[in-house]
Amino acid sequence: MRNFYSGTSNLVLPVPNKTFFPEAFRDRTRLSYYASLFNSVEINASFYKMPRAKTVLKWSGEVPDDFVFSFKLNKTVTHTLQGAFDVQPIPAFMDAIGVTTKRGCLLIQLPPKFRPDLFQLPALLTVLKPYGWRIAVEFRQPDWYTDDVFELLNSFDAALVLHDLRKSTTPQVFTANHTYIRFHGPEDGYRGSYTADYLEEYASYIQGWLGEGKSVYAYFNNTLGAAVQDLQNLNRLVSANYLEFE
């Protein structure tokens, strides 16, 4: 399934430790085993700690050629200043993640208290655009969901992140040639397991978007719940739909 990339938010495995790994992976890293199962991961750790180029290069060498990394922009850019962005850390951050050719998306998450600002957001996107990453923006404040904001994202080919947090659930609006989905969990606190019907519905959406020529990135952030199982079920459903479509 070309152009469909899916994984968990940070690295989550279906087994508790290496003693349960297949024999071929017991002497290899957790990432190597993960990448034998899935073709992408969303790196949330980069939100809390600035990534190091050496580490990103190491990761890149542990995964297949068709595997991609999506990185969450560091919080010093988006969450440090009250109601403003701090662009000073951006070059160091982008240089560190830019050493990999296995690029998914750059995820920008805005804090819930950040109100709509049609001057600062384009300024941030203008700084980030030349680095060549696909961009996805996640709003935690529903006041951002306006036509003006959607048009702004579209002008930068930046995807509106589709997510299901209850206080800021996203409308199904598409602002880029790629689609980015974050499944935060059906229960509070990034917990719970999605129903078969819910995953079947999204598998149908994803197949439709792929049929339209979009690249689709989907990540399960219910890591205190059933993220891996939900991911496996979604992949199976999308694959089944794909084979039926073919």
Side-chain angles (χ1 to χ4, degrees), residues 13 18 20 40 44 69 81 85-86 107 131 135-136 153 161 167 169 198 200 221 225 243:
L13 293 173
K18 279 194 172 185
F20 295 91
S40 188
N44 268 340
F69 297 90
L81 302 178
F85 297 118
D86 182 2
L107 170 63
Y131 289 97
I135 294 173
L153 294 177
V161 172
K167 293 184 179 180
T169 300
Y198 187 91
E200 179 70 52
N221 195 29
L243 291 173

Side-chain angles (χ1 to χ4, degrees), residues 36-103:
S36 74
L37 303 172
F38 311 118
N39 68 354
S40 188
V41 65
E42 180 187 84
I43 304 296
N44 268 340
S46 58
F47 177 75
Y48 299 99
K49 183 179 180 181
M50 290 290 285
R52 299 174 59 193
K54 180 179 179 180
T55 302
V56 175
L57 273 177
K58 178 177 179 293
W59 291 344
S60 297
E62 295 174 356
V63 299
D65 290 341
D66 60 350
F67 189 95
V68 299
F69 297 90
S70 289
F71 287 89
K72 191 173 180 180
L73 186 63
N74 193 266
K75 65 180 181 179
T76 56
V77 177
T78 54
H79 288 60
T80 301
L81 302 178
Q82 183 66 34
F85 297 118
D86 182 2
V87 300
Q88 295 301 316
I90 287 177
F93 182 94
M94 298 305 297
D95 287 347
I97 69 172
V99 296
T100 183
T101 58
K102 298 170 181 178
R103 299 183 180 186

Side-chain angles (χ1 to χ4, degrees), residues 177-192:
N177 289 322
H178 55 284
T179 302
Y180 198 106
I181 314 165
R182 300 190 84 202
F183 297 97
H184 289 301
E187 301 174 13
D188 291 338
Y190 307 103
R191 299 178 184 275

Side-chain angles (χ1 to χ4, degrees), residues 47 72-81 83-91 93-94 106-111 114 117-133 135-139 144 152-153 155-156 158:
F47 177 75
K72 191 173 180 180
L73 186 63
N74 193 266
K75 65 180 181 179
T76 56
V77 177
T78 54
H79 288 60
T80 301
L81 302 178
F85 297 118
D86 182 2
V87 300
Q88 295 301 316
I90 287 177
F93 182 94
M94 298 305 297
L106 175 67
L107 170 63
I108 304 169
Q109 180 193 301
L110 272 59
F114 203 129
D117 189 322
L118 294 180
F119 295 96
Q120 289 205 60
L121 182 56
L124 175 64
L125 295 174
T126 298
V127 173
L128 292 170
K129 192 67 176 177
Y131 289 97
W133 284 73
I135 294 173
V137 183
E138 182 181 63
F139 299 114
W144 282 94
L152 169 64
L153 294 177
S155 70
F156 283 92

